[in-house]
Amino acid sequence: MEEFVGGLWDKLITRTAYRGFPKARVELKDMEKIAPVFFRALGGDAGLNIRSGTATTHGGRRSWMERVAGIGEKTELAWTDDTTLHLPASIDLYPEQALNRELYLWLIALAAHDVAPDEAWIVRNQQAARATLEALPGMQGRYSRLVEAELARRIVPAKLPKDEADAEQAIRDALFNPGSVTEFTPGQRAPFPVPLWLHPEPPQAQGERRKAGHAEPQQPEGGKVTKDEEARKRSAENVDMPKPDSPFVLLFRAESLFSWAEYVKVNRSLDEDDNDDAAQAANDLDVLSVANDGKTTASRIRFDLDLPAEADDDHVLADGILLPEWDYRKRQLQPAHCRLQMLLARDAQACDLPVELRPTARHLRSQFQALVSQRARLRAQASGSDLDLDACVRFAAEKASGMPTAEPGLYIDSRKQQRDLSCLLLADLSLSTDAWINNDARVIDVIRDSMMLFGEALGATGDRFALYGFSSVRRENVRCHLLKGFDERYGSEVRGRLAAMKPGFYTRMGAAIRHSAAILSKQKSSRKLLLILTDGKPNDLDKYEGRYGIEDTRVAVQEARRMGLTPFCVTIDDKAGEYLPHLFGANGYVVVRDAQTLPKVLPGLYVQLTGEG
């Protein structure tokens, strides 16, 4: 009974003390479609993702009701780092939903015009605000409404001690007239947070970095990961493991029984149960302390992911192919940075098309055979079976205007066109493809079926095509699997190689694209299509994570375009919208929402990309 009454009291006091407006709340997920486009359209760094950050302790004054309820200590502000623009997970500061939405747009615009990131907090935000308003005069009205609403919720300077009142007045002046305040002296207490500005001290990793030789566990691809619904990024520090064998360490303290911050030893290799309170605990902590005891699941998986012995590995066709890699921090291409080897499946045996794929394959072959004999209508010809009305009208108008012009081609002719194109399909064979789709099939199985049907379809057209797969284990071991070369006929032997495909390691996509582009560029065709089939973003065990891998892949795609190729990505990653527009452009990729439809989608996509049908 006491617990029930206590719960009711907690809800009542918390609801009464809360200063926000839940009914007018706008969540970041409601802005996820417009936010990246808006940010990049305003000139923001195209390499940054947008996701929610974490609430941090602000140290400002709270009302006595907030203190009684134990709320209001933390606030969510916006900030940027090397890879991400962090925005509040939700905003309900103002009574009007439109204003809360306008605050999201203002913070995105402010981050895009952060012109002086090294200046002091108040100077930096004033310069960013002024740059935003100068570049986007149409936002002046929105900004004025936000400032008015923000000042209405702030503590009036007259109710503060002298030093805090002076600091609050400086903030108000800076909001009213960005650029007018050049010096800022905080009071004894930190000022009340300013949600219209970027974070004064963004959360960063704290503590000592891991010492050389101290292995850092990696999250393996395809491993079981509990989904963070808010996708927050939290501040963390590396610490040493506590040593309970010390006689001077107390293993139990009654007064800390209900503290989230106590160290708890959890054997994650055995305990895979979801903890409903884990997210709440993480949100309550300012800094997450992470220790490595050398016994983690990831450590064992790293051992399991070592390269196979030479006797058990695929045949090596070529070894030591050196490729460059782009370092976005140094802004330079590192020559001969990666080593690639060409492999051919050792245990592949010639086989027929699986029975379950044969009906679809027959349908695709009949469709693609029609492309071979289809006739094209050529306009502006000197002779033909029909008049080209557009050409006739233009010629008549030019002649009537007195412009001297030679008679152009005024006819339409119908001729059989020879298809002159080559396509290389590059498939991601990383360990993440070992994941299951609705407990029906693995991703690798869907990719295998897709490539088989793709080969059946293109075999009917006579188009030149090649099939390759790739995975990697650091930069010294980029593995490229030959499935079908341009000079090979698609048949039972190629099907055998496809049937022998298995999940590999990690995804060093830049090196794989560069090597594939070099192979495709040697073809004599006038059109060259490079199709990349993947289920996730670039990553590897070394520093090829996050933005480093994304920027290297982006440069590799640009290099392929300069070679006259057409790179296009097909992905089943539902988070692809966060990074693929930066890699391939708005029209350079497609997301297949249902992975099991990929075998039918891929051939149809090829028809669209090659401009036929």
Side-chain angles (χ1 to χ4, degrees):
M1 185 63 182
E2 291 179 2
E3 183 179 352
F4 176 73
V5 174
L8 291 179
W9 168 252
D10 181 68
K11 290 181 180 179
L12 175 63
I13 193 67
T14 301
R15 188 183 304 115
T16 304
Y18 187 60
R19 300 181 60 188
F21 300 89
K23 292 184 179 180
R25 179 174 297 150
V26 178
E27 298 186 358
L28 182 57
K29 64 183 180 182
D30 299 327
M31 307 287 294
E32 63 182 1
K33 291 185 178 180
I34 188 176
V37 177
F38 187 57
F39 179 66
R40 293 174 182 124
L42 297 183
D45 189 339
L48 297 185
N49 296 324
I50 296 181
R51 64 188 306 179
S52 56
T54 183
T56 54
T57 303
H58 56 77
R61 288 186 175 272
R62 295 184 293 157
S63 67
W64 72 271
M65 284 288 287
E66 287 178 314
R67 295 197 298 271
V68 170
I71 64 173
E73 290 182 336
K74 295 185 176 183
T75 187
E76 291 190 60
L77 300 173
W79 83 90
T80 60
D81 56 26
D82 288 343
T83 62
T84 309
L85 165 59
H86 302 276
L87 296 172
S90 63
I91 297 177
D92 59 1
L93 300 174
Y94 309 123
E96 299 177 18
Q97 191 176 46
L99 272 179
N100 293 319
R101 186 177 185 276
E102 293 289 354
L103 180 53
Y104 267 125
L105 297 177
W106 168 255
L107 290 173
I108 293 170
L110 191 73
H113 294 88
D114 187 14
V115 294
D118 297 328
E119 294 286 350
W121 165 66
I122 195 167
V123 175
R124 170 191 182 183
N125 280 288
Q126 287 182 93
Q127 293 190 15
R130 187 167 58 184
T132 302
L133 296 174
E134 288 176 355
L136 306 168
M139 293 201 73
Q140 181 64 59
R142 298 176 177 180
Y143 177 71
S144 299
R145 290 192 295 273
L146 286 171
V147 169
E148 182 180 354
E150 175 58 25
L151 296 184
R153 64 185 291 271
R154 299 183 69 82
I155 303 175
V156 179
K159 296 182 178 181
L160 295 171
K162 178 66 168 59
D163 58 339
E164 294 180 42
D166 292 342
E168 176 62 25
Q169 188 58 52
I171 291 175
R172 288 171 171 258
D173 293 342
L175 285 170
F176 262 123
N177 186 13
S180 62
V181 177
T182 57
E183 296 183 359
F184 179 73
T185 304
Q188 290 185 349
R189 296 180 66 99
F192 193 69
V194 186
L196 273 67
W197 288 350
L198 302 177
H199 205 302
E201 296 180 0
Q204 296 178 352
Q206 301 177 11
E208 294 183 355
R209 296 291 180 185
R210 298 187 183 272
K211 300 178 178 60
H214 190 170
E216 182 175 357
Q218 297 282 338
Q219 174 63 41
E221 296 190 32
K224 180 179 179 181
V225 180
T226 300
K227 183 177 180 181
D228 184 350
E229 295 295 340
E230 294 180 338
R232 294 178 183 269
K233 183 171 184 179
R234 298 177 173 89
S235 180
E237 63 177 351
N238 291 322
V239 298
D240 294 329
M241 285 290 297
K243 296 181 179 179
D245 54 345
S246 172
F248 300 103
V249 176
L250 295 178
L251 298 181
F252 175 78
R253 293 184 303 166
E255 66 271 19
S256 66
L257 182 62
F258 298 104
S259 171
W260 284 119
E262 278 305 298
Y263 162 76
V264 179
K265 171 65 177 175
V266 179
N267 186 356
R268 286 297 179 193
S269 62
L270 299 176
D271 182 5
E272 294 294 344
D273 294 336
D274 293 337
N275 185 347
D276 295 335
D277 296 326
Q280 179 184 347
N283 289 337
D284 285 346
L285 291 173
D286 289 331
V287 178
L288 304 182
S289 297
V290 181
N292 182 5
D293 65 356
K295 300 177 182 179
T296 63
T297 304
S299 296
R300 287 200 294 274
I301 289 180
R302 279 167 59 91
F303 177 79
D304 292 340
L305 291 184
D306 285 345
L307 291 169
E310 183 176 351
D312 300 325
D313 202 0
D314 293 335
H315 292 293
V316 178
L317 300 179
D319 196 5
I321 302 174
L322 299 179
L323 298 166
E325 187 168 278
W326 176 259
D327 188 331
Y328 84 98
R329 295 186 182 92
K330 299 178 181 177
R331 300 191 64 80
Q332 67 180 23
L333 199 65
Q334 305 168 92
H337 191 72
C338 300
R339 186 175 69 88
L340 181 141
Q341 57 182 191
M342 290 294 303
L343 301 168
L344 185 67
R346 181 183 295 272
D347 54 355
Q349 296 181 356
C351 66
D352 295 328
L353 187 68
V355 175
E356 62 273 13
L357 297 181
R358 292 176 185 176
T360 304
R362 283 195 298 270
H363 179 66
L364 288 174
R365 278 196 295 266
S366 63
Q367 286 185 321
F368 275 65
Q369 283 171 352
L371 299 178
V372 179
S373 59
Q374 96 175 19
R375 303 178 68 83
R377 288 169 60 84
L378 306 179
R379 295 183 175 277
Q381 300 298 304
S383 62
S385 57
D386 297 309
L387 284 174
D388 186 343
L389 295 181
D390 290 339
C392 291
V393 170
R394 284 195 301 270
F395 176 64
E398 292 172 356
K399 189 175 181 180
S401 66
M403 295 176 57
T405 179
E407 181 176 322
L410 302 177
Y411 297 91
I412 295 177
D413 195 10
S414 179
R415 301 177 191 170
K416 184 177 178 179
Q417 287 289 93
Q418 183 68 33
R419 292 167 61 86
D420 184 23
L421 57 91
S422 298
C423 175
L424 188 149
L425 176 58
L426 177 65
D428 173 6
L429 303 182
S430 58
L431 189 63
S432 60
T433 61
D434 198 29
W436 287 82
I437 307 170
N438 300 327
N439 295 323
D440 294 329
R442 296 180 303 165
V443 174
I444 188 68
D445 299 326
V446 173
I447 291 176
R448 180 185 298 111
D449 291 349
S450 302
M451 298 183 79
M452 282 189 174
L453 291 177
F454 187 77
E456 296 290 332
L458 266 65
T461 65
D463 291 348
R464 295 179 61 79
F465 71 100
L467 305 174
Y468 288 83
F470 77 97
S471 67
S472 64
V473 184
R474 298 187 177 88
R475 65 185 179 92
E476 298 89 359
N477 295 288
V478 181
R479 299 162 61 85
C480 188
H481 299 265
L482 172 62
L483 303 171
K484 178 195 174 301
F486 278 108
D487 296 330
E488 293 182 281
R489 186 182 68 85
Y490 180 81
S492 58
E493 192 171 318
V494 173
R495 293 192 200 99
R497 296 175 196 166
L498 293 173
M501 286 194 318
K502 52 185 178 291
F505 302 92
Y506 295 88
T507 317
R508 208 172 199 96
M509 195 176 292
I513 289 177
R514 287 187 176 92
H515 184 63
S516 300
I519 295 174
L520 182 56
S521 65
K522 296 177 182 178
Q523 299 303 305
K524 304 299 183 181
S525 307
S526 60
R527 299 183 61 189
K528 301 167 188 176
L529 176 63
L530 176 59
L531 275 177
I532 299 105
L533 179 58
T534 181
D535 70 331
K537 66 173 61 175
N539 76 94
D540 206 336
L541 281 173
D542 49 20
K543 63 182 179 179
Y544 206 83
E545 276 286 349
R547 190 167 182 184
Y548 183 98
I550 287 176
E551 292 296 339
D552 174 60
T553 303
R554 179 171 179 261
V555 171
V557 170
Q558 292 173 342
E559 293 170 359
R561 288 200 175 103
R562 286 195 292 270
M563 296 166 69
L565 313 182
T566 303
F568 192 90
C569 182
V570 183
T571 184
I572 57 176
D573 182 10
D574 57 0
K575 298 292 185 183
E578 297 179 358
Y579 59 91
L580 280 189
H582 182 57
L583 296 183
F584 292 91
N587 300 317
Y589 72 97
V590 65
V591 179
V592 180
R593 301 296 178 184
D594 184 358
Q596 291 179 311
T597 66
L598 183 62
K600 296 181 180 179
V601 169
L602 189 60
L605 179 65
Y606 175 81
V607 174
Q608 296 178 25
L609 292 174
T610 56
E612 304 286 355

